[in-house]
Amino acid sequence: MIPPPPPTLRLRLDTGALAHNWRALDAMSRPGRAGAAIKADCYGLGLDRCVPVLRDAGARDFFVAHWQEVMPALRHLAPEQIAVLHGPITAGEAGYARATGVRPVINSLLQARLWTQSGGGPCHLMVDTGINRLGLRPEELGDSAIAELEIDTLISHLACADEPGSAMTARQLAAFRAVCALLPHRRASLANSAGIASGAEFAFDLTRPGLALYGGVPHPALAGNIRQVAQPEAALIAVRKLAAGETVGYNATFTASREMRVGIVSMGYADGILRSWRGGAFRAQGCALPMLGTISMDMIVIDLTAAPELVEGDWAELPYDLPHASAHTGLSQYELLTTLGRRFG
Ligand SMILES: *Cc1c(COP(=O)(O)O)cnc(C)c1O
């Protein structure tokens, strides 16, 4: 069999920007260090492409959410570098952590007992300081199940760090400090991307940026310091002429008011370009090329008036500056990354 031709859509990754973002966040994490959240296939950008870059830039501590994310991470990392945020809820999961050598994040008394019963060893401990998602309540920390743990990193997670000046963030910082004074641990870790931007007092020993590594700007203090990493691009698979009065796409929502040249780009909502992108524009040869009509599963129609030289096989890019794209679509910067589809080359 001959190999298939290259895809007509691609996700260009600026690995230099990814390394730059990690280094910038690491510098902001002093006197601690920055780790890296690599869950959800590095926020949709591809673990195999991103993790070696982050590792080679200097990251040592990596966070996945699911046990299924361990094997892909082990292709690039030593097991003790990998923390599994969801922790074990079955003996099978605890046994898997023991067998692979990855570190579970213990999130409850049940998980603490399960881990000790499975043989235990170094683990991380998540304490809930107000987000009420995963983690032990501070009043549970005196339980004997916790005393038996060998705690590497004591972790908590901020709920409102992307709202500068939030009273919740100040309360969580105070609560986390109190917990750190109470429990023996090797390292402490509180800040996600927005937490890093909230001030040096949030750095502790280790920070856990995710979004900002991949180009997101969840806090104004990061603006100017973070570079765009992901750039979706698609080929023009057709070029056609519309006569005045003709319509475009499903439900005929765009009507040409004059004769015009349009292009069909090979990218649609199945690739994560959801219908909330409506009214946006692609870019090619320095020109904005407005989207016309409804976004289809595999195609978007664009106005080629500004770039009359474009022909089939040429490429156009969808501007993917995350704060800007988020403002346009109403999708969060996290969603804009993690919903990108699997057809990109
Ligand atoms: C996802 C996650 C992070 C990374 O958060 P960002 O906002 O993407 O920087 C850090 N810590 C925990 C516990 C997480 O679940």
Side-chain angles (χ1 to χ4, degrees), residues 5 114 233 235 274 288 294 341:
L114 207 52
E233 300 173 341
L274 306 184
T294 314

Side-chain angles (χ1 to χ4, degrees), residues 37 39 43 63 85 126 133 155-157 190-194 208-212 218 334:
K39 58 194 180 182
Y43 289 44
F63 297 85
L85 288 163
M126 174 71 81
R133 222 172 48 170
I155 303 175
S156 192
H157 193 50
L190 177 61
N192 61 349
S193 301
R208 309 183 306 275
L211 181 70
Y334 297 86

Side-chain angles (χ1 to χ4, degrees), residues 183-208:
L183 262 190
H185 58 277
R186 192 163 78 79
R187 300 181 297 179
S189 174
L190 177 61
N192 61 349
S193 301
I196 294 170
S198 301
E201 68 272 33
F202 290 86
F204 292 87
D205 302 302
L206 177 67
T207 61
R208 309 183 306 275

Side-chain angles (χ1 to χ4, degrees), residues 156-177:
S156 192
H157 193 50
L158 297 167
C160 306
D162 58 354
E163 301 169 31
S166 150
M168 173 73 145
T169 304
R171 279 199 303 276
Q172 288 194 266
L173 176 62
F176 188 59
R177 283 192 173 130

